[in-house]
Amino acid sequence: MTVAATMTGCASEATRHDAPSTQSATTVTDASSVWPGKDEVNALRAAPARWQALRSNCDRDLGYTPHPVSDFSPPQHYVDREGEQRIAKPFTDDGHVAYREAMCFAASGDRRYAMASERILDAWATGVQHIGQGQGVADFNFTFPLYALAASMVRTDAQWNDAAFRAFVRQRVLPVSTASRTNNFGNWGVLLEASSAAYLHDRSLMQRAAQRWRALMLSQVAPDGSLPAEICRSNTSNYCGGPDKGVNGLSYTHYLLLPTTLAAEIFHNDGINIYAGDAGHQLNLAYAQAAHWTLHPETFPYYASNGGHLNGVRNAAYFWILQQRIPNDDGRAVIEQGHLGMDGFEMELLYAHKG
């Protein structure tokens, strides 16, 4: 299951906001250690057999041909899903390949993997001429973190001239961040900014993203740990209504907590203690509730009204990270059951060794 292709949100909600500064950047800690963290990279290097399957995929894709889309203006997901995927899927597929190749480079130091990733990053940086409002902005926020984190892993390759990609991030991508939004769009926008800050070595952008992360946690999470703006989600353009109201509610809960968790880990690895304080407490509540519903979906508020069916119940690979940082019994039980989806960022591979 892909990170961005299976749940693309309601694109009509996506709007521009005041863009982060794209003029100045100051140095942060070594971005090569921000994602994956040094412990995770060292664990991969110490146990090559553990990532052999990933390496096989990387070897297969060394000659991969990227598929950039010049006019990235997909139709709205809930209006024309097939049409959206014709434009968005190449972006998602290429992003996953670029990310995997970058991970193989981080784990092995073999420059062949870096070159394969860089070829994809450069193709999209030079190939995209327009990002359409609505679903185009949405899909860029949902998918571009794969590209930014791949770039943060391969930028240590001294032979990569990343000028085109760097300009693309600052001039084209950051201005369409949705971090100012109040629902899951905001969390994906924060991840876009945090991952871009890791690549760009932009300390002020990283700090601003962390502040927005805190604000979102304080505003989105109810006292019971639920996410009121997400749990009602239907599977139609009647986003929180209609006969299937809530059928996507648990899936969207995961879809908000996935970028929230990835951004939190980037901040943590960069020395920002995001798991502490009131906002960290809110994440703790949200994880506990999401874990309980994943383990016992029959307790989800809209389970009965949808005839005992919910979409995306186990799209919860991010549990691998949160169980290390803010563990709970339900989360551990879900992980022990296995088969967690939405793991395009290879979280199980990176964090399972700590179990």
Side-chain angles (χ1 to χ4, degrees), residues 37-260:
K38 289 181 180 178
D39 288 347
E40 285 67 51
V41 172
N42 289 338
L44 290 177
R45 291 175 177 172
R50 198 162 58 81
W51 60 281
Q52 183 55 49
L54 175 65
R55 188 164 200 157
S56 294
N57 285 332
C58 289
D59 289 342
R60 179 198 65 201
D61 290 332
L62 282 172
Y64 185 86
T65 300
H67 309 87
V69 177
S70 176
D71 183 4
F72 194 83
S73 301
Q76 292 183 18
H77 173 71
Y78 285 113
V79 174
D80 182 1
R81 300 186 196 205
E82 290 185 2
E84 185 228 358
Q85 282 302 291
R86 280 195 297 271
I87 293 175
K89 191 174 186 296
F91 188 42
T92 305
D93 290 347
D94 287 9
H96 282 113
V97 175
Y99 181 86
R100 290 195 300 266
E101 295 290 332
M103 272 197 63
C104 284
F105 172 65
S108 69
D110 187 333
R111 190 172 174 267
R112 293 179 304 153
Y113 302 129
M115 292 172 63
S117 183
E118 292 156 12
R119 186 170 61 253
I120 297 170
L121 301 180
D122 288 338
W124 281 87
T126 58
V128 176
Q129 302 303 312
H130 175 69
I131 301 173
Q133 289 299 295
Q135 194 68 51
V137 167
D139 286 338
F140 245 82
N141 277 263
F142 299 150
T143 302
F144 190 76
L146 286 165
Y147 289 74
L149 291 178
S152 76
M153 286 185 271
V154 302
R155 65 167 187 78
T156 58
D157 173 20
Q159 297 184 54
W160 182 34
N161 181 351
D162 68 341
F165 189 77
R166 183 172 293 268
F168 183 62
V169 173
R170 288 205 176 276
Q171 298 170 15
R172 306 294 296 278
V173 178
L174 285 172
V176 300
S177 166
T178 56
S180 66
R181 297 296 307 282
T182 58
N183 67 348
N184 68 81
F185 279 96
N187 307 80
W188 282 102
V190 166
L191 176 59
L192 181 147
E193 294 184 7
S195 57
S196 296
Y199 159 62
L200 293 169
H201 281 198
D202 191 330
R203 184 66 181 183
S204 61
L205 177 59
M206 187 75 80
Q207 292 285 2
R208 287 197 302 275
Q211 283 300 104
R212 183 58 184 155
W213 186 99
R214 295 185 181 99
L216 285 170
M217 283 293 91
L218 293 174
S219 65
Q220 291 173 327
V221 183
D224 66 351
S226 67
L227 302 167
E230 309 299 335
I231 61 172
C232 59
R233 293 300 297 265
S234 71
N235 198 31
T236 70
S237 58
N238 186 355
Y239 302 120
C240 272
D244 66 349
K245 177 180 179 178
V247 73
N248 279 346
L250 184 49
S251 187
Y252 268 95
T253 294
H254 293 321
Y255 201 64
L256 182 150
L257 292 176
L258 168 59
T260 300

Side-chain angles (χ1 to χ4, degrees), residues 213-215 217-218 221 274-284:
W213 186 99
R214 295 185 181 99
M217 283 293 91
L218 293 174
V221 183
I274 205 75
Y275 292 104
D278 292 342
H281 173 71
Q282 293 296 95
L283 175 60
N284 198 333

